[in-house]
Each structure stands twice: as C-alpha cells, then as structure tokens.
Amino acid sequence: MESGQVVDLFRAFAAEGLRVWLAGGWAVDAIVGRQTRAHGDMDVAVDIRDLPSFLELLGEQGFVVTTDWAPSRLELTAPDGQVVDVHPATFAADGSGRQAGHGGDGFHYASDGFTLGTIDGSEIPCLSAAQQLRFRDGYELRAADIHDIELLRKYG
C-alpha cells in the first residue's frame, strides 16, 4: 500500500466522523514522520461502534472481506490489491480499549495508547509508540518487527 492511499483513506474516515487509528508498520512510519519501509497492507484499530459505517465506506470503494476472524480481525482487499487489516476495539469511558483475541486472549489498548502521526504531511490518528511496543511483545519477531521496534524506541 502506498502512502497516498493511506492518507486518502484516512481523509474519508475523518469525513464520516469514524474513530479509526493507524496501527502496524504504517503507524510506526507516522510516528517517525516518513515512510521507512514498504508496506503490504494498512493495519487499523476501529471503534467497534463505527465498524458498520467503516465497512460500508470501504465497500463503496470496492473493498471486500477476504479474511473474517470476527470479532478479533477482518481483512479487506480492494480490486487494485490494497489490503486493510481491521482490528475492532471496544472502548471504556476512560479511553482504554479491548480487542477480542482470535481463539483466546485479547489485546488491551491503554488510554494513553493513541496519538497523531504524519504521513505525507497529513496528520493521521495512530497508535502511540508505547502502545505499538506493547503489541510487539510475546511473539517471534520478523525482520520488519525488529526494524519497527528500533524506530519506535528511537522516535517514540
């Protein structure tokens, strides 16, 4: 996925008033303020209350569900190959969130786990460096994860 596609999608989310935060590798690049590596997809955390509208908006843009692990994760793919990896989260009054796990434990979003980053000069809501580091703990790291962790520790 290209940076301009990320910015365009986030503009569409904002225009609809959807609560969506960039996650994964693109969120690392948003924290850093520049693209640091190629990205095959765009990970997002979505307020579960906005999920129906979010899916409708992507559907209008040609995206279809290609992986359905609801309620923990959905993957949508557009005809041009763009992939959006969706992580629905339920939020509490204190701003913290919870994402269901696939067949087990879930994922906790701390109330301080959200910030703004920059992609192509546009401010994008994203997961904070601290939240992203928490999500990269407890599994075997790939080369992309090691790259991302180094940047999060340096810029976060």
Side-chain angles (χ1 to χ4, degrees), residues 30-154:
I31 294 292
V32 171
R34 63 180 169 77
Q35 187 171 352
T36 65
R37 64 176 176 86
H39 301 279
D41 67 356
M42 177 181 78
D43 292 275
V44 295
V46 178
D47 187 322
I48 202 158
R49 295 171 296 187
D50 290 339
L51 187 60
S53 297
F54 175 86
L55 294 174
E56 182 179 335
L57 184 143
L58 287 182
E60 291 168 358
Q61 296 188 23
F63 284 84
V64 296
V65 175
T66 50
T67 300
D68 186 348
W69 290 355
S72 65
R73 177 179 171 262
L74 297 164
E75 192 172 84
L76 290 91
T77 305
D80 67 359
Q82 292 179 72
V83 176
V84 178
D85 194 352
V86 182
H87 306 275
T90 302
F91 287 88
D94 69 357
S96 66
R98 183 91 180 137
Q99 175 189 336
H102 183 64
D105 293 338
F107 302 94
H108 176 74
Y109 293 81
S111 58
D112 67 351
F114 307 92
T115 190
L116 290 173
T118 306
I119 302 286
D120 288 351
S122 294
E123 281 194 338
I124 305 287
C126 64
L127 299 184
S128 69
Q131 183 67 48
Q132 293 182 69
L133 285 168
R134 288 188 287 267
F135 279 168
R136 286 173 172 79
D137 188 31
Y139 66 92
E140 188 173 337
L141 299 175
R142 304 164 298 154
D145 296 313
I146 294 167
H147 167 88
D148 291 350
I149 288 169
E150 289 174 0
L151 289 172
L152 290 168
R153 288 181 176 153
K154 181 176 180 180

